[in-house]
Amino acid sequence: MNKMSFDFNHIPDLPAFYREFVRQLELTDSFGANLDALWDEVTGGITLPVEIDFINLNTSRKRRFGALILLFEEAEEELEGELRLNLLEKPVAKAKG
């Protein structure tokens, strides 16, 4: 399963999220940088299955990025298990070893 992580300590707004999404997926400049274009890419462009972590997403940020979270939750439902979204307030600690 592919894995993507977005750290909201470094993503202050939606344009910054789009830039990070384009960077991680190595998309071209033709990506529309709006919710419709994001939906199209998430549901038909990215390689599935994929697990996506939204890290450092506290209550305030959840409100600020509500439309983005809703889009990924709807995509998770639409893709029937091929996309998994994890909303994390803090990064997951890596196991020692």
Side-chain angles (χ1 to χ4, degrees):
M1 178 178 284
N2 295 320
K3 183 125 174 139
M4 298 174 65
S5 294
F6 296 92
D7 184 347
F8 285 83
N9 278 344
H10 304 288
I11 300 174
D13 54 27
L14 209 46
F17 175 83
Y18 292 136
R19 286 190 298 274
E20 181 61 14
F21 185 81
V22 166
R23 186 192 70 75
Q24 286 195 36
L25 289 172
E26 300 177 350
L27 300 176
T28 66
D29 290 338
S30 65
F31 176 73
N34 59 60
L35 291 173
D36 288 333
L38 183 62
W39 174 261
D40 291 344
E41 194 62 41
V42 169
T43 60
I46 64 176
T47 302
L48 299 174
V50 64
E51 183 173 3
I52 300 173
D53 291 342
F54 282 4
I55 301 169
N56 293 310
L57 199 61
N58 61 27
T59 303
S60 172
R61 290 177 182 148
K62 283 179 184 175
R63 282 193 303 273
R64 184 178 327 143
F65 292 100
L68 182 69
I69 294 166
L70 183 60
L71 181 143
F72 277 92
E73 288 174 341
E74 288 178 3
E76 185 175 33
E77 187 175 316
E78 174 96 8
L79 295 170
E80 300 175 342
E82 291 293 302
L83 182 148
R84 186 173 8 171
L85 176 65
N86 302 307
L87 303 177
L88 308 167
E89 286 197 29
K90 297 179 182 174
V92 175
K94 295 185 179 182
K96 293 181 180 179

